[in-house]
Amino acid sequence: MELYGVQRWGSGYFDVDKEGNLLVRPNKNELQTANVKAIVDRLVKKKIGFPVLLRFPQILDHRVNELHESFNDAISRYEYGGKYQAVFPIKVNQRKEVVLELLKAGKKYGYGLEVGTKSELLAALALDPKPSSLLVCNGFKDERFANLAFDASLVKEKLIIVLDEIGELPTIFEQAKSLGHMPLLGVRVKLHMRGAGRWISSGGELAKFGLSGSDVLDIVESLKKEGHLDKLRMLHFHLGSQITHIKRIQDAIREAARLYAELHKMGVDIEYLNVGGGLGVDYDGSKSVSESSMNYSMQEYANNVVYIMNLVCEEEGVPPPTLVSESGRAVTAHHSLLVFNVKGKMHADQDPEKVKIAEEDPIVLSELRDTYVELNKKNFVEYYHDALILKEDLVNMFNLAQIDLRQLASGEILFKGICQKASEFAKDTGNRSKEFENLRNIVASRYICNFSVFQSLPDYWGVGQLFPVMPIHRLNEPPDQYGTLLDATCDSDGEIDQFIDIRDIKEVLELHSLGDQPYYIGIFLLGAYQDTLGDFHNLFGSVNEAHVHLKNGEWQIKQIIKGSTVGEVLSLFKYDREWMTTAFKKLVENVTSKGKVERKEAKKILKDYEREVEEYTYLKF
Ligand SMILES: *Cc1c(COP(=O)(O)O)cnc(C)c1O
C-alpha cells in the first residue's frame, strides 16, 4: 500500500487485503468490498478477454453525494443565503450508462447537465427527462444549435443558453424574433485570474472562450434595448481543468463575485453564479501543486467558493446567488479501472552465472566475467566504469570481425549482470547519483501488456497525464523487478515509463517476477475524459467492460458490455465486410487456380479470415 501509494491517491475507494489482493470500496465502507482479483477470475471463467475495464457505478453515486454534501456543508457553516446546484459537463464522460447513473444519484439534489455542442444537447435532452433540472448550453452556437436550444427551452424550464462570444448575440436575437420567445441566458466571462496546472491557458485574457468586461457591458446594453435584460440569469466562468492550486480558485471567485455584484447594481438580476469545472483529482497522491495533483480537498474547494461569495455579497450588499459548479473530472475519475494481463518480458532473463568462457575466447570476456564476480559494495562505482570500457571494446571487436555472435552475446549477458549488481549496490548504499539512477532504468524489464495506451489512456500519451498503475494481486509479496509497460500497439509511444511517485516521477515501476500464473496489472482513475478521447490506433477497438455492483457486502457483475470486434473497428473506417472477403477471395482463388495452393487449404485460409473478423481486437493468451 505504501509502495504504490494506494491510500494517497485512492481517496478511500481502494485498499489491499491480507492475501495481497486489491480491494474496491465503492461507498468507502469497510463492509462493502469487492476483491478485484476475484472479479477478474470470474471474468476469465466467463471467457471475457483482456483488457477489461471495470466500472463501479456506486463510486459515481458516492462522488455525486460527496460533491453536493461538501457544498451543503459549506453553505451551513458560513450561513450562506443561497443554494448550491451542480451540473455534469457531459464532455467529461458521455457514456450513456455513466450519465444515467450520475443523474440517478443526483436526483434528490436536482443535478443537471452541461453541454458544449449540438450533439451533446441532443443526448442531454434524451438523458434527463425532468422539466425542472438545470441545463447549461455552452460552446459555439450556430443557427441550428441555437434553434434546437430555443425549442428545448420550451420543455426544459431551466435551460440556459450561455453566450461564449459576442458574435452569438445576433443569432440569439434572430431566433427570438422568429420563434417569438427568449430563453434564459448566461454570459461566460474571461477572468483576469488564471488557473494553475496543465490547463492554465483555458483561463486568463488569452483564453479561447469567454467575454471581456466590455463585451459583457455591450451585451447588457443590447439586451436592455431589446427588452430581454430580465432573461440574463447566469454569470459563468471556467478556469480550465485540474486546477492544482487553491489560491487560483480563491482569486477567481473573488473576481467573479465582484463582477456579479457590479452586474447586480446595474439592475441585472443574476440568479446563478456558475464557477465552471477545475476541481482536481489527486492522481499521484502527493497533495502538491504538481500537474497530476492538487493541494486542496473537495471540502476545501467548496468552503472557498461559498466563503468568498458570502463575504463579497455581504460587503457589497447584494443577494447571494445560487452557486453552480460544473465539476466533471472530480465526479467521474475514480469509478473505472483497466485490468490487463502480461504476455511476458521483451528480453529473456539470462543468468550471467551460466556464461561459459572457452580457452579461445578473447580476454575481454574473462575480464567482464571477473568484473561481474568481484564487483562489491566498495568497488561498484569503479568496476562499473571499467565495465563500460570493456563493453565498448567488445562491440568494436565484433564490428571488426574479431569475435563472433556467440562471444558478443556472452559479453552482453555479463555486462547486463554487472549493471544489475551495480544498481542493487547503489540502492543498498544510498547512492543517488544520476548515473546509477539511470542504470536502474537500463536494467529494468519491459513487460509486454495487453492494452493500448491510445485507446485506454489517451491523456498519458497526449498530455503526459499520470495515472496510478499497480498489480492487482500478489501485493503480499515484495516485488523484485523494475519494469516499464509496453502496450500491444506497434507504436513506440505505446509504452508507460512514467509513474506516479510521492516526490518525483518514477521511470520504472516495481513489479513481480513472472511465474506460471497470469500476472494482472491495473490502471486507475480512468473515468474522466479517457472514454471518448481514446482512439483506434493500430485498429485496437473499445475494450470489454464489466459493471460491478455491491449489495449486502457481496459484489456482483451486473452487466458485461463486449468491446469491439475486428469487423466493427474495420467498418468504422469504411471497410465493408463483403468487400473485404470478396477481395481476399480473389487473391486466394488466383493462387489456387495456378495450383500453388490446394483447394482444401484455400478453404481453410478463407474460413480463418472470416472467423478472425468476429474476434476481439486485443491479444488472446
Ligand atoms: C470541460 C469543462 C468542464 C469540466 O471541467 P472539470 O475540470 O472536468 O471539472 C466544465 N465546464 C466547462 C465549460 C468545460 O469546458
Side-chain angles (χ1 to χ4, degrees):
M1 295 234 299
E2 181 56 33
L3 178 65
Y4 298 113
V6 178
Q7 280 169 326
R8 290 192 295 270
W9 55 260
S11 300
Y13 297 111
F14 301 94
D15 203 348
V16 176
D17 71 7
K18 288 206 169 59
E19 282 71 50
N21 295 315
L22 187 89
L23 301 179
V24 178
R25 303 192 196 284
N27 310 309
K28 298 194 183 179
N29 176 339
E30 293 275 322
L31 302 172
Q32 302 265 325
T33 49
N35 177 328
V36 176
K37 175 63 169 32
I39 296 168
V40 166
D41 288 342
R42 175 90 49 93
L43 290 168
V44 169
K45 219 174 240 164
K46 285 177 180 285
K47 302 215 169 349
I48 302 299
F50 293 100
V52 58
L53 189 86
L54 303 183
R55 285 191 205 277
F56 291 87
Q58 286 159 313
I59 294 185
L60 293 172
D61 303 357
H62 196 268
R63 300 301 288 172
V64 169
N65 280 307
E66 210 163 80
L67 178 67
H68 286 89
E69 292 307 328
S70 298
F71 270 93
N72 290 342
D73 201 72
I75 283 173
S76 47
R77 178 175 316 176
Y78 302 112
E79 297 177 358
Y80 182 70
K83 292 187 307 175
Y84 170 69
Q85 182 146 37
V87 287
F88 175 66
I90 195 173
K91 81 160 188 290
V92 179
N93 194 322
Q94 294 99 337
R95 291 296 296 252
K96 189 171 120 203
E97 315 85 57
V98 171
V99 186
L100 286 175
E101 187 70 32
L102 291 169
L103 289 172
K104 196 175 83 192
K107 201 167 167 199
K108 57 179 179 286
Y109 303 109
Y111 199 22
L113 294 172
E114 183 266 355
V115 300
T117 62
K118 185 172 64 183
S119 316
E120 289 183 351
L121 177 57
L122 286 164
L125 290 170
L127 286 160
D128 186 5
K130 286 189 300 304
S132 62
S133 53
L134 199 55
L135 177 54
V136 179
C137 298
N138 281 319
F140 291 126
K141 283 151 224 89
D142 62 358
E143 197 191 309
R144 305 302 286 259
F145 188 179
N147 184 267
L148 181 68
F150 267 69
D151 283 352
S153 73
L154 293 176
V155 290
K156 296 283 291 183
E157 303 156 18
K158 299 263 176 65
L159 183 147
I160 299 183
I161 300 180
V162 175
L163 301 170
D164 276 56
E165 49 121 0
I166 192 93
E168 281 171 5
L169 199 57
T171 317
I172 298 296
F173 284 143
E174 274 161 35
Q175 293 290 328
K177 280 210 178 80
S178 72
L179 299 170
H181 68 103
M182 180 63 105
L184 303 181
L185 300 174
V187 278
R188 175 166 174 174
V189 293
K190 217 184 259 203
L191 299 179
H192 294 87
M193 295 301 165
R194 301 222 284 172
R198 182 170 289 117
W199 285 278
I200 187 167
S201 55
S202 307
E205 280 137 282
L206 301 178
K208 175 172 166 190
F209 287 108
L211 304 160
S212 65
S214 62
D215 288 343
V216 173
L217 288 178
D218 280 358
I219 288 174
V220 168
E221 277 313 308
S222 304
L223 286 173
K224 199 186 262 175
K225 214 162 73 199
E226 303 281 330
H228 294 304
L229 193 58
D230 61 320
K231 296 293 183 187
L232 183 53
R233 300 287 179 84
M234 179 177 274
L235 178 66
H236 171 40
F237 71 89
H238 173 62
L239 288 181
S241 205
Q242 185 69 10
I243 308 286
T244 54
H245 207 312
I246 190 71
K247 171 81 166 59
R248 305 307 172 95
I249 292 162
Q250 295 163 346
D251 293 344
I253 304 285
R254 177 159 272 281
E255 189 180 340
R258 279 282 304 127
L259 270 169
Y260 164 77
E262 287 293 319
L263 283 170
H264 192 87
K265 288 177 198 165
M266 288 165 63
V268 190
D269 192 12
I270 297 283
E271 186 182 348
Y272 301 100
L273 184 98
N274 180 350
V275 302
L279 173 56
V281 166
D282 195 359
Y283 291 96
D284 68 14
S286 66
K287 295 194 167 42
S288 70
V289 295
S290 86
E291 287 191 341
S292 300
S293 188
M294 60 202 268
N295 70 353
Y296 59 94
S297 67
M298 190 185 264
Q299 185 65 62
E300 194 180 342
Y301 174 81
N303 288 349
N304 275 284
V305 173
V306 174
Y307 175 78
I308 295 169
M309 263 327 280
N310 201 36
L311 195 70
V312 175
C313 288
E314 277 177 8
E315 280 169 10
E316 307 265 353
V318 291
T322 294
L323 294 169
V324 175
S325 86
E326 302 175 337
S327 307
R329 183 186 297 276
V331 170
T332 52
H334 298 79
H335 91 281
S336 70
L337 67 110
L338 185 80
V339 180
F340 49 83
N341 48 356
V342 175
K343 190 164 187 296
K345 287 184 181 178
M346 194 70 179
H347 305 282
D349 286 326
Q350 303 276 9
D351 186 357
E353 307 277 346
K354 289 196 180 135
V355 171
K356 290 211 169 57
I357 295 176
E359 195 108 347
E360 70 275 13
D361 282 342
I363 194 129
V364 63
L365 275 187
S366 39
E367 280 179 342
L368 274 168
R369 195 205 26 214
D370 294 346
T371 308
Y372 171 74
V373 173
E374 287 160 22
L375 189 111
N376 63 32
K377 222 180 206 163
K378 284 203 184 114
N379 65 19
F380 75 89
V381 177
E382 189 186 335
Y383 274 40
Y384 168 66
H385 291 155
D386 292 347
L388 287 173
I389 296 168
L390 291 171
K391 160 92 180 313
E392 210 175 292
D393 290 348
L394 185 83
V395 176
N396 286 337
M397 287 171 81
F398 181 74
N399 290 344
L400 295 171
Q402 290 167 356
I403 58 171
D404 62 16
L405 181 58
R406 187 196 56 80
Q407 289 163 326
L408 176 72
S410 298
E412 282 174 344
I413 294 169
L414 287 166
F415 179 73
K416 187 134 186 237
I418 292 165
C419 293
Q420 206 111 34
K421 255 175 122 174
S423 153
E424 275 157 33
F425 283 128
K427 192 177 155 200
D428 290 350
T429 56
N431 183 324
R432 292 256 180 126
S433 65
K434 202 79 205 152
E435 182 177 31
F436 287 96
E437 222 152 77
N438 288 341
L439 198 56
R440 196 169 73 181
N441 305 342
I442 293 168
V443 300
S445 306
R446 307 177 85 190
Y447 284 62
I448 303 169
C449 301
N450 196 7
F451 76 105
S452 158
V453 165
F454 306 91
Q455 168 67 226
S456 293
L457 49 158
D459 275 348
Y460 173 81
W461 167 67
V463 292
Q465 160 86 57
L466 299 186
F467 296 93
V469 182
M470 64 182 281
I472 57 128
H473 60 140
R474 296 175 65 183
L475 297 167
N476 53 354
E477 267 176 64
D480 57 356
Q481 304 278 309
Y482 286 112
T484 61
L485 309 181
L486 302 179
D487 81 353
T489 69
C490 64
D491 192 308
S492 51
D493 278 353
E495 176 174 12
I496 304 185
D497 54 9
Q498 303 264 296
F499 302 94
I500 63 161
D501 191 20
I502 183 92
R503 258 166 258 106
D504 207 349
I505 292 173
K506 290 197 283 202
E507 286 171 357
V508 288
L509 183 68
E510 293 83 354
L511 291 163
H512 298 88
S513 303
L514 299 173
D516 306 332
Q517 296 298 315
Y519 189 50
Y520 301 118
I521 295 176
I523 303 181
F524 299 81
L525 312 188
L526 292 175
Y529 296 101
Q530 308 313 295
D531 276 300
T532 44
L533 280 177
D535 64 43
F536 297 93
H537 196 14
N538 264 155
L539 302 183
F540 282 116
S542 58
V543 303
N544 285 329
E545 268 188 32
H547 296 191
V548 184
H549 197 86
L550 273 105
K551 206 175 160 189
N552 306 326
E554 302 279 320
W555 59 266
Q556 63 191 94
I557 297 172
K558 250 199 153 169
Q559 194 184 7
I560 288 176
I561 301 174
K562 293 297 249 347
S564 329
T565 62
V566 176
E568 284 163 2
V569 177
L570 283 167
S571 74
L572 276 179
F573 299 95
K574 311 295 174 220
Y575 288 85
D576 167 52
R577 183 80 172 268
E578 220 173 278
W579 173 84
M580 285 178 66
T581 329
T582 315
F584 186 61
K585 224 177 206 159
K586 229 186 235 161
L587 171 65
V588 175
E589 251 154 37
N590 182 327
V591 182
T592 317
S593 65
K594 288 186 185 133
K596 285 186 187 158
V597 166
E598 301 217 2
R599 287 267 153 225
K600 214 172 102 194
E601 227 168 351
K603 230 175 165 173
K604 179 186 176 299
I605 294 171
L606 284 171
K607 221 170 96 194
D608 285 353
Y609 185 89
E610 294 201 46
R611 191 194 54 220
E612 282 312 314
V613 174
E614 302 293 341
E615 290 285 322
Y616 193 29
T617 56
Y618 291 86
L619 309 177
K620 199 169 182 175
F621 59 88

